[in-house]
Amino acid sequence: MTAGTDTPTTGTEQTRIHLDPFVADLDGESAALRAAGPLAAVMLPGDVPVWAVTHHAEAKKLLTDPRLVKDINVWGAWQRGEIAPDWPLIGLANPGRSMLTVDGADHRRLRTLVAQALTPRRVEEMRGRITELTEGLLNRVASLDGDTVDLKAEFAYPLPMYVIADLMGLAEERLPRLKELFEKFFSTQTPPEEVIATLTELAGIMAATVAEKRENPGDDLTSALIAASEDGDRLTDQEIVSTLQLMVAAGHETTISLIVNAVVNLSTHPEQRELVLTGKADWSAVVEETLRWSTPTSHVLIRFATEDIPVGDKVLPAGDALIVSYAAIGRDEQAHGPTAGDFDITRPTATRHISFGHGPHVCPGAALSRLEAGVALPALYARFPDLDLAVPASELRNKPVVTQNDLFELPVKLGG
């Protein structure tokens, strides 16, 4: 993280916090954002100036403010042609027409269809399949040779990917290529010449899946979206493809980081691990405190102001872009008290976090992600109660992804 002096659209001199594309010190960066907040002037990788909301209370207000919209055409920098089409984060800023990028009636229409497939009953019905996948992956982990295992590659990644593939009806043989493409999709280091090719190939895979489900529908969300479009809900093919891509991207990345971060947190806080392993605290507390303290999603891109919006002692100018800095928000002392910087699964405010969002665009897959982690973590530690990091936590490396709190790998010793 570096700081420089730039001139925002308000015309007043501000210090912009440049988000580190290599995410070398997310905690330090988040602390700087909180100190500059609740509305901080930020530079995204690629020298794209935006604003970040960094405090809990102000974030909740802005996430329900109708003056902030998802329509990229409101963004002055976009209108003026200042955002390159091969900007590495363009797929997150302008991912196509889905419930993520529309507001009002269109948003309700698209979101309702997804929510109908992710009702509490439907999610709970997935518990058996998640348990089956978890046990199969743990059996594989137990059979691996060597003292050290990359728990991310062998467990935390495949579990949510298989779950979201089942939910959306994705063919399993497509998963390895999707893994490669989504790594490029989220990375700040994807070469410009590969950005558009990556987006094109991702859209092509999703379009092919939609075409296959038109011919052979199944009990999956993609088939349900197609059926809804044929029953008069007026979904276009682009909306179905973009919704499928959104659900796959969000549905696996968040849960991977949730599981990985929970394991790191328990390994680096053995007194907290002892509480949960002895039954003095519940696994749901581990999940919620991990979501708050080391939220899987560091920053969410982007909303656009249709008019000037006062935030604290600053103003978010009309036509400017806002990101939501959940990594900073999760440790806001105004929301969680003076110990907000501590990982504590007995914290009474742990569930007060907004790491899955707030307001109309709150993540519809939150319950599924919680269920996956709630099945995976106790099963993992029941099988390997002495599991611990194989390297010091200081040696764990973040991937160059400014939107995700994501490690390259998670080397562990299984113990026993």
Side-chain angles (χ1 to χ4, degrees):
M1 186 230 1
T2 58
T5 300
D6 297 276
T7 304
T9 56
T10 54
T12 60
E13 190 174 271
Q14 298 275 341
T15 299
R16 283 199 180 271
I17 296 174
H18 290 233
L19 298 189
D20 178 10
F22 295 100
V23 200
D25 182 14
L26 180 59
D27 289 350
E29 186 171 86
S30 298
L33 287 167
R34 277 193 305 278
L39 185 69
V42 166
M43 190 74 78
L44 290 175
D47 292 331
V48 174
V50 298
W51 299 86
V53 58
T54 65
H55 290 186
H56 181 97
E58 286 78 8
K60 289 185 72 174
K61 291 177 184 176
L62 289 171
L63 288 169
T64 56
D65 193 321
R67 296 172 293 180
L68 276 166
V69 299
K70 291 285 195 166
D71 184 359
I72 196 171
N73 295 301
V74 172
W75 194 6
W78 178 261
Q79 295 171 352
R80 295 188 295 270
E82 297 168 4
I83 309 301
D86 56 2
W87 179 42
L89 299 178
I90 192 64
L92 293 164
N94 188 30
R97 185 177 174 82
S98 72
M99 64 181 178
L100 182 67
T101 57
V102 295
D103 299 283
D106 278 343
H107 174 257
R108 288 191 294 273
R109 173 175 61 90
L110 291 166
R111 184 183 176 88
T112 296
L113 294 168
V114 173
Q116 287 172 350
L118 289 173
T119 62
R121 180 185 63 82
R122 177 70 179 268
V123 170
E124 184 57 33
E125 287 175 351
M126 298 179 71
R127 181 182 293 274
R129 176 60 174 154
I130 294 170
T131 300
E132 176 188 350
L133 287 168
T134 297
E135 291 302 319
L137 289 168
L138 290 177
N139 288 340
R140 171 175 164 72
V141 168
S143 71
L144 295 173
D145 294 329
D147 295 332
T148 301
V149 171
D150 180 358
L151 197 66
K152 179 182 178 183
E154 300 295 343
F155 182 66
Y157 173 81
L159 175 61
M161 199 63 190
Y162 285 143
V163 170
I164 201 66
D166 279 359
L167 178 67
M168 304 306 299
L170 277 171
E172 188 171 326
E173 59 267 23
R174 289 200 164 111
L175 299 187
R177 182 55 180 161
L178 283 173
K179 180 179 187 293
E180 296 171 355
L181 291 170
F182 276 120
E183 286 182 350
K184 293 181 179 180
F185 176 83
F186 284 106
S187 177
T188 59
Q189 301 305 301
T190 300
E193 63 273 14
E194 294 183 21
V195 170
I196 293 175
T198 297
L199 296 174
T200 301
E201 187 174 353
L202 272 172
I205 290 174
M206 303 307 167
T209 299
V210 171
E212 290 162 7
K213 290 298 175 180
R214 284 193 188 279
E215 291 295 320
N216 297 290
D219 183 21
D220 54 72
L221 182 51
T222 303
S223 298
L225 292 171
I226 294 168
S229 70
E230 294 171 348
D231 290 341
D233 277 306
R234 300 185 302 281
L235 274 82
T236 66
D237 281 354
Q238 181 191 357
E239 288 173 335
I240 297 172
V241 167
S242 295
T243 298
L244 174 58
Q245 181 168 315
L246 165 66
M247 293 297 293
V248 175
H252 80 281
E253 278 291 335
T254 298
T255 309
I256 293 167
S257 296
L258 174 54
I259 294 171
V260 166
N261 294 347
V263 171
V264 174
N265 293 344
L266 292 176
S267 297
T268 53
H269 298 83
E271 76 289 351
Q272 302 288 310
R273 181 175 58 193
E274 183 67 14
L275 287 175
V276 72
L277 291 183
T278 57
K280 295 175 183 176
D282 193 79
W283 282 102
S284 64
V286 176
V287 171
E288 297 306 322
E289 181 67 347
T290 296
L291 286 166
R292 181 199 73 84
W293 192 74
S294 50
T295 179
T297 305
S298 342
H299 309 280
V300 167
L301 282 56
I302 301 178
R303 295 166 190 256
F304 312 101
T306 58
E307 59 183 82
D308 288 356
I309 304 174
V311 184
D313 61 353
K314 298 176 185 175
V315 172
L316 173 61
D320 274 16
L322 178 80
I323 67 173
V324 185
S325 294
Y326 287 109
I329 291 165
R331 300 190 191 183
D332 183 359
E333 292 188 1
Q334 296 176 41
H336 300 286
T339 63
D342 298 337
F343 178 76
D344 179 5
I345 61 175
T346 68
R347 179 182 306 279
T349 65
T351 58
R352 193 181 297 169
H353 69 80
I354 55 170
S355 296
F356 282 116
H358 180 73
H361 286 275
V362 67
C363 176
L368 179 59
S369 186
R370 284 184 167 106
L371 175 60
E372 290 178 68
V375 170
L377 290 169
L380 173 65
Y381 281 90
R383 183 73 69 93
F384 308 112
D386 297 322
L387 182 148
D388 206 351
L389 298 180
V391 299
S394 59
E395 295 183 12
L396 297 173
R397 297 179 304 131
N398 277 84
K399 296 178 74 172
V401 180
V402 297
T403 57
Q404 302 297 126
N405 186 2
D406 191 13
L407 296 177
F408 274 104
E409 58 185 3
L410 181 59
V412 301
K413 292 185 180 296
L414 300 176

